[in-house]
Amino acid sequence: MVMVPAVLVGLAMLLPIAYLAIRGAGATTEAWELLFRVRTLQIIGRTTLLVVVVTGFSILLAVPLAWLTSRTDLPFRRVWSVLTAMPLVVPTFVGAFLFISVLGPRGVLQQALEPLGVDRLPAIYGLPGAALVLILLSYPYILLTVKGAFQGLDPALEESARTLGHGRMSTAFRVTLPQLRPAIISGSLLVALYTLSDFGAVSLMRFPTFTWVIYQQYQTAFDRSIAGVLSLALVGMALAIVLIDSYTRGRIRYHRTGSGASRKAEVVRLGRWRWPALAFAGFVVVMALGIPAGVLLHWLVRGLLVGEPLLLLWSATVNSLVVSGAAAFVAAVCSIPVAVMVVRHPGRLSNVIERMSFTGFALPGIVVALALVFFAVNYARPVYQTAWLLVFAYVVLFLPAAMGATRAALLKVSPSLEDAARGLGRGPLQTMRTVTAPLIVPGILMGAALVFLIAMKELPATLILGPLGFKTLATAVWSASTEAFFAQAAAPALLLIVISSLPMAFLVTRDFGESTSSGSDYS
């Protein structure tokens, strides 16, 4: 039932790879030899180091924050649930420039410290700056998936461990963390692929990774086959990350085998750790959200004081909402057959389909955009220069965001429930509609929200594929900031953050307990 749509989704995701293969086939010997030069190996090393650093520190931030905002009596827990997820709406190129303006040479911090005799701060450029920006703006990928997993855990398992003599720490490491494993891995995969494909932060922080080198080749070199060959190497790195994900995930089952517990888990009293926990959450929010929002407000007020018009760009806002919403819906629908194929029918074909579906997330937006331009001009001219092509590009780029959340939700649904429904005479479609779908709706909604948020801030694909005169909030911010009109960039940037925060606030504060109460038992 799901094989045909899953295969079709996987083939659609391969269009950029087909474009790269065509470019690679026409490449010269010199272009292929470029892959084995020392400079290319250095780029691979820098890119790998950045991915490892960002993913590792994102886990260290996200898992404790998910626990604090899901299971404890942290003061104003609902507020922190929203605020800790909000950095996901800040584009990396905006975040990088804002951090440079605060922490860079002659930045706000240095000017504030000059009366104390500090005339030079450590350089923020390079790996430290790129990693800092990407960690603070991408850890919510893991946070949101882990929060969803926390809400679906069966508290009876933890209570049984405590009854058998395990303390809180032992229960956390022996019972809770193993159940969170699929959510942590899914979120980490998104962070790793997002870091691999990022252009905004690495370019502004002057840390040359594959995406920056590929962009320079597209912009400056007449022979684009070199960029195509480098992009194929980037795809190879993405596939390697997906293979590591598959190996790490293993074949452990995470759904329960019994009836489980329908009640919520007991709230953990932090006691004397309440205020250190509050300080930790506050520090992360200030660094990831407070500094960018504060600098944007500074630009906005400064511009208004000197007579700059307040540009809210309502048409750009509508365009952003329409294309991002359409992409979120299509990606959520496409993620269902692929997730069902991977989880319920594991095998060589499902592994291939899964890897095909994840490759687009590791490609720079400019590569995907140029690939779709090539195919639209040659094979689908009616959709060229239409919003439909832009929506399709978003789906290719961000389908893994929907896939990770849907797959994590489906892993917690016991196949015995579906077998029982089939045994009672229900067909495959009816079983999916009445049994499986209601249980995985929270994961589907979370995946759709992630796609919506990422699509709202997507830049390169929007610049290339958007119809003539088509503006989104992201392109409006980019146009103003590249011309150094920072006051004009502030209003659409703040509007982008506010609009994106609405679905985020709804999802992170919604109680998914009843619909995801299928706890975890594994063997």
Side-chain angles (χ1 to χ4, degrees):
M1 180 185 71
V2 298
M3 181 182 297
V4 173
V7 170
L8 292 176
V9 171
L11 290 176
M13 300 303 107
L14 279 184
L15 281 180
I17 308 299
Y19 166 78
L20 295 178
I22 294 172
R23 284 293 183 187
T28 61
T29 304
E30 181 182 358
W32 283 105
E33 290 176 350
L34 181 65
L35 289 178
F36 304 99
R37 293 180 183 175
V38 175
R39 184 170 180 269
T40 304
L41 296 178
Q42 292 174 341
I43 295 171
I44 293 175
R46 282 194 296 266
T47 305
T48 303
L49 178 61
L50 182 65
V51 169
V52 171
V53 170
V54 172
T55 305
F57 278 94
S58 294
I59 293 173
L60 293 178
L61 286 181
V63 175
L65 285 173
W67 178 72
L68 288 172
T69 55
S70 300
R71 288 291 192 88
T72 73
D73 62 344
L74 183 73
F76 307 107
R77 188 177 64 175
R78 293 275 183 173
V79 175
W80 292 115
S81 293
V82 176
L83 293 180
T84 52
M86 282 295 296
L88 196 63
V89 307
V90 181
T92 57
F93 67 88
V94 173
F97 187 85
L98 294 175
F99 274 95
I100 290 172
S101 67
V102 174
L103 304 177
R106 303 301 304 168
V108 175
L109 182 59
Q110 182 179 331
Q111 293 178 22
L113 295 176
E114 278 183 354
L116 301 177
V118 179
D119 57 359
R120 184 177 180 83
L121 293 175
I124 192 176
Y125 296 104
L127 176 63
L132 175 66
V133 172
L134 287 169
I135 291 168
L136 292 175
L137 299 184
S138 61
Y139 80 84
Y141 287 117
I142 303 175
L143 173 74
L144 293 174
T145 55
V146 174
K147 276 178 64 67
F150 263 124
Q151 292 166 340
L153 293 184
D154 188 345
L157 297 175
E158 297 171 341
E159 293 167 3
S160 298
R162 297 294 300 276
T163 302
L164 293 173
H166 291 281
R168 288 193 182 276
M169 293 299 294
S170 178
T171 301
F173 283 98
R174 292 174 177 267
V175 178
T176 307
L177 278 179
Q179 295 178 85
L180 298 177
R181 182 180 172 185
I184 294 174
I185 292 175
S186 294
S188 299
L189 178 63
L190 293 178
V191 171
L193 294 178
Y194 184 72
T195 303
L196 193 65
S197 65
D198 177 72
F199 169 73
V202 297
S203 60
L204 290 175
M205 290 297 180
R206 306 173 191 173
F207 187 69
T209 60
F210 257 121
T211 51
W212 190 9
V213 174
I214 291 169
Y215 181 79
Q216 289 177 328
Q217 286 293 330
Y218 271 116
Q219 290 291 100
T220 61
F222 178 77
D223 184 9
R224 289 183 173 174
S225 61
I226 296 177
V229 171
L230 292 174
S231 298
L232 284 173
L234 186 63
V235 173
M237 293 185 68
L239 290 176
I241 292 175
V242 175
L243 286 173
I244 293 173
D245 164 72
S246 300
Y247 174 79
T248 305
R249 194 189 323 145
R251 295 188 179 276
I252 299 175
R253 291 185 291 118
Y254 295 90
H255 54 78
R256 66 169 179 255
T257 56
S259 59
S262 60
R263 64 187 182 280
K264 297 180 182 179
E266 181 182 355
V267 175
V268 176
R269 305 296 175 183
L270 293 174
R272 62 180 180 177
W273 293 101
R274 195 180 193 191
W275 302 115
L278 188 63
F280 169 66
F283 175 77
V284 174
V285 169
V286 168
M287 290 295 295
L289 189 62
I291 290 178
V295 176
L296 285 175
L297 285 172
H298 168 74
W299 284 350
L300 180 62
V301 173
R302 185 174 178 179
L304 293 176
L305 291 177
V306 297
E308 286 282 354
L310 183 62
L311 300 178
L312 292 181
L313 303 171
W314 294 113
S315 62
T317 302
V318 173
N319 291 338
S320 296
L321 291 173
V322 170
V323 295
S324 299
F329 175 79
V330 175
V333 171
C334 291
S335 73
I336 297 173
V338 178
V340 172
M341 186 78 178
V342 170
V343 176
R344 291 290 184 257
H345 309 283
R348 184 174 300 177
L349 178 60
S350 61
N351 288 337
V352 171
I353 293 174
E354 181 182 25
R355 290 160 193 168
M356 289 161 56
S357 302
F358 270 91
T359 53
F361 200 70
L363 290 173
I366 188 172
V367 174
V368 173
L370 290 174
L372 295 183
V373 167
F374 171 81
F375 283 104
V377 169
N378 290 279
Y379 306 107
R381 188 170 288 274
V383 299
Y384 180 63
Q385 280 290 307
T386 67
W388 293 109
L389 190 62
L390 179 59
V391 170
F392 181 69
Y394 288 165
V395 175
V396 172
L397 286 167
F398 309 132
L399 178 64
M403 269 283 298
T406 303
R407 184 182 64 189
L410 189 59
L411 278 168
K412 293 185 176 297
V413 179
S414 174
S416 61
L417 298 175
E418 298 167 342
D419 294 340
R422 297 290 298 276
L424 293 173
R426 297 185 180 181
L429 287 176
Q430 191 177 11
T431 299
M432 172 64 71
R433 181 176 59 84
T434 60
V435 177
T436 309
L439 294 174
I440 65 174
V441 162
I444 296 173
L445 290 177
M446 186 63 71
L450 288 173
V451 174
F452 178 85
L453 293 172
I454 308 170
M456 283 286 290
K457 58 183 181 178
E458 167 58 27
L459 184 65
T462 310
L463 290 172
I464 294 174
L465 294 176
L468 292 176
F470 186 86
K471 268 194 173 185
T472 64
L473 289 174
T475 59
V477 174
W478 175 259
S479 299
S481 59
T482 52
E483 297 176 6
F485 296 146
F486 303 128
Q488 292 184 14
L494 285 170
L495 190 59
L496 174 62
I497 293 174
V498 170
I499 291 175
S500 300
S501 70
L502 297 178
M504 177 67 72
F506 170 75
L507 288 175
V508 299
T509 57
R510 182 178 177 182
D511 182 10
F512 288 127
E514 292 184 1
S515 57
T516 58
S517 61
S518 55
S520 305
D521 190 16
Y522 59 93
S523 57

